[in-house]
Amino acid sequence: MSLRLELDGRIATLVIDRPDKRNAMSFAMWREIPELVERVRADDAVRVLVVRGGEHFCAGADISEFAELRRGVEATARYSAVVHAGEQALATLEKPTIASVDGFCVGGGCEVALACDIRIASARARFGITPAKLGIVYSLTSTKRLVDVVGPSWAKQVLLTGELVDAAVALRIGLVNEVVEDLGARTAELAAVIASRAPVSVLGMKQIVERVVAGEREESAEVAELYDAAVRSAEYAEGVAAFLEKRTPVF
């Protein structure tokens, strides 16, 4: 088994588990991601999805498959479509996602991490996107996501050199949110905090951030509905009551 979904109350964890290949993503693994993400989407008990590996987060796509599965323009397009679908499944999940990164996070692994909302890394994490070493042009969608996170200048350096950057550089350029000593503990803590917050707020604010990133600058009817839904919710009533009663809200 190379991918598995672990459920623990409000938190689901998508585990990349292929240690003999440094968690390199096979074609079958890319194809499996949308189904696993859909299970998270459909489970009302789950509020946060964590994505992690083991010793390494993910060393990229399994290049040993390329000679067979990416032979020619049509085969390459089919392969790329499956990768894109996996990445988009994570990127468009309404629930918050956290990438917990240890070791190598390269190529397709970095693509997976960038599709998550928040990235937490250990000091030994290493990041890179390496199409320039393979004669591949990175997709526009994935490139935009990188540019949105680190800016155009650093995106160019990462893509044009194909070099790996360490955790300290990744933190400085905004590729990761935090570099921590105890990756597992901090990931669990952050996931638990987000899972404890009002879902109507968490889901609404994630949508608004995505709209801003997509270029929206004006209030819309859809955004106004997010505001209204929050005010009408039982979570709003509970949040206000808990504040007035000086207790922790139960959402």
Side-chain angles (χ1 to χ4, degrees), residues 135-193:
I136 295 171
V137 174
Y138 207 43
S139 74
L140 187 144
T141 302
S142 300
T143 300
K144 181 184 184 301
R145 193 162 289 122
L146 177 64
V147 172
D148 288 339
V149 169
V150 304
S153 183
W154 263 106
K156 289 175 184 176
Q157 181 164 333
V158 169
L159 291 170
L160 302 186
T161 67
E163 293 179 341
L164 303 189
V165 299
D166 63 23
V169 171
L171 179 64
R172 178 161 57 85
I173 67 177
L175 186 56
V176 299
N177 296 66
E178 300 179 20
V179 175
V180 298
E181 291 186 8
D182 192 330
L183 180 62
R186 177 54 181 152
T187 301
E189 176 187 43
L190 183 61
V193 168

Side-chain angles (χ1 to χ4, degrees), residues 20-235:
D20 58 315
K21 292 278 191 174
R22 292 181 172 175
N23 285 347
M25 293 285 291
S26 68
F27 182 75
M29 291 165 69
W30 284 114
R31 193 164 48 192
E32 192 178 1
I33 289 177
E35 178 185 345
L36 295 174
V37 172
E38 182 55 35
R39 285 175 55 189
V40 173
R41 188 192 311 275
D43 190 337
D44 291 337
V46 174
R47 296 190 179 183
V48 179
L49 174 64
V50 172
V51 183
R52 69 166 179 85
E55 181 181 0
H56 298 287
F57 182 77
C58 175
D62 186 350
I63 298 173
S64 68
E65 296 182 332
F66 282 17
E68 177 182 357
L69 297 180
R70 290 178 58 99
R71 184 187 297 275
V73 174
E74 291 183 2
T76 297
R78 285 194 297 271
Y79 184 99
S80 298
V82 169
V83 171
H84 180 71
E87 175 198 27
Q88 285 296 99
L90 284 168
T92 59
L93 178 64
E94 295 87 351
K95 300 175 182 182
T97 53
I98 302 171
S100 182
V101 181
D102 202 5
F104 288 124
C105 181
V106 181
C110 208
E111 203 166 357
V112 168
L114 281 164
C116 295
D117 298 312
I118 297 169
R119 286 161 294 285
I120 306 297
S122 73
R124 61 184 294 273
R126 298 293 182 270
F127 299 83
I129 302 174
T130 56
K133 293 182 177 181
L134 298 168
I136 295 171
V137 174
Y138 207 43
S139 74
L140 187 144
T141 302
S142 300
T143 300
K144 181 184 184 301
R145 193 162 289 122
L146 177 64
V147 172
D148 288 339
V149 169
V150 304
S153 183
W154 263 106
K156 289 175 184 176
Q157 181 164 333
V158 169
L159 291 170
L160 302 186
T161 67
E163 293 179 341
L164 303 189
V165 299
D166 63 23
V169 171
L171 179 64
R172 178 161 57 85
I173 67 177
L175 186 56
V176 299
N177 296 66
E178 300 179 20
V179 175
V180 298
E181 291 186 8
D182 192 330
L183 180 62
R186 177 54 181 152
T187 301
E189 176 187 43
L190 183 61
V193 168
I194 295 173
S196 74
R197 302 310 189 203
V200 70
S201 300
V202 171
L203 301 182
M205 290 185 292
K206 176 172 174 174
Q207 286 188 53
I208 289 175
V209 170
E210 294 298 333
R211 287 173 175 272
V212 171
V213 171
E216 287 193 31
R217 296 294 181 268
E218 302 293 335
E219 301 287 351
S220 64
E222 292 84 358
V223 171
E225 177 54 32
L226 294 174
Y227 304 149
D228 294 345
V231 172
R232 292 193 300 265
S233 72
E235 295 161 32

